[in-house]
Amino acid sequence: MYKVFIDESGDLGNSFLNDDANRGSYWFVLSAIIIEENDVNNIEAEIVATKEKLNKKSDFHFKKDTHLQRNIFINKIAQMNNFRSIVVAQDKMVLANICKEVNKEKLNSQEIFEHVATILFKEFLYMFKNETESITFEMFFEENNKLDYQKISSVANDFSKNSNLNFKVLTCDKRCKCVQIADYLASSILQ
């Protein structure tokens, strides 16, 4: 079994379509860290050790961390070889074109997230295409109270039907250590 930790960077809004100073991001990035279940504790221990080395009281969060903290944590992530990652970056202007195709003015945040999550699940199918045994993924999405995780679970189940991959959708908060790696990957790509 694999544990998967997922976080995003960018926003789920459509205000990028407006020409105002408060417009949202043009890109939405979703990153997944895929860890074999027996490696999770080792990765968490490395994160804690890095935090202690920096005398850091709070968890790692790309937007809040200093440049030095970012460099040290990114270098630590680069040295880890016991996880795989998938990063999906969606140009939200492409979503505006999708809206035109389906005669909608704009997509809501749930629809944007589901669209990008669908791409993420497709990447899982590609990454594990040569596996012959059934594989279970416990997928921990960083909790966002604007999203309906039952709908995301439904999207995941659609991919499970035609493959040997089984997705179980769960949520966690930013204190989840491995989500901190996903945060860094997504935010680094967005930057």
Side-chain angles (χ1 to χ4, degrees):
M1 176 167 38
Y2 290 91
K3 303 251 184 196
V4 180
F5 300 89
I6 300 169
D7 197 16
E8 81 276 341
S9 190
D11 62 75
L12 290 167
N14 283 289
S15 59
F16 63 91
L17 296 171
N18 302 331
D19 195 21
D20 63 27
N22 297 316
R23 67 175 176 258
S25 64
Y26 286 104
W27 290 86
F28 180 72
V29 180
L30 200 58
S31 67
I33 306 305
I34 307 153
I35 309 169
E36 287 191 35
E37 187 176 30
N38 57 348
D39 284 333
V40 171
N41 290 337
N42 296 333
I43 290 175
E44 288 176 341
E46 289 187 58
I47 293 168
V48 168
T50 305
K51 192 172 148 182
E52 288 172 355
K53 176 181 174 183
L54 290 167
N55 289 325
K56 189 167 174 22
K57 303 288 183 228
S58 61
D59 293 322
F60 287 102
H61 190 272
F62 189 89
K63 285 183 181 178
K64 296 178 183 176
D65 290 345
T66 66
H67 186 70
L68 175 64
Q69 291 168 333
R70 287 179 186 173
N71 281 341
I72 290 172
F73 193 48
I74 286 172
N75 284 326
K76 175 46 98 180
I77 292 168
Q79 293 169 7
M80 295 178 187
N81 61 3
N82 47 356
F83 71 86
R84 298 186 220 183
S85 63
I86 298 173
V87 179
V88 175
Q90 175 67 59
D91 178 349
K92 292 194 306 185
M93 291 305 288
V94 171
L95 297 179
N97 294 333
I98 291 170
C99 290
K100 289 176 189 171
E101 290 172 16
V102 295
N103 292 324
K104 284 186 86 170
E105 185 177 322
K106 61 183 182 177
L107 299 177
N108 64 39
S109 57
Q110 181 73 34
E111 291 168 324
I112 293 170
F113 195 91
E114 286 177 27
H115 174 78
V116 179
T118 297
I119 298 168
L120 181 73
F121 289 125
K122 287 179 183 175
E123 291 299 319
F124 272 87
L125 292 176
Y126 180 76
M127 181 180 275
F128 291 92
K129 69 182 178 212
N130 295 325
E131 298 292 331
T132 56
E133 300 293 319
S134 180
I135 304 171
T136 298
F137 297 95
E138 285 189 348
M139 306 188 89
F140 295 89
F141 285 82
E142 187 200 350
E143 181 133 349
N144 180 333
N145 60 7
K146 295 178 183 175
L147 297 175
D148 180 346
Y149 291 96
Q150 290 293 87
K151 288 183 179 180
I152 296 165
S153 186
S154 177
V155 171
N157 289 334
D158 287 344
F159 282 92
S160 294
K161 289 177 188 171
N162 300 318
S163 74
N164 62 339
L165 307 183
N166 301 304
F167 299 104
K168 182 178 181 184
V169 174
L170 306 161
T171 60
C172 63
D173 62 24
K174 281 212 181 287
R175 290 174 294 176
C176 177
K177 291 172 184 56
C178 294
V179 164
Q180 296 170 49
I181 296 173
D183 168 72
Y184 259 67
L185 291 181
S187 296
S188 295
I189 295 296
L190 185 67
Q191 290 290 331

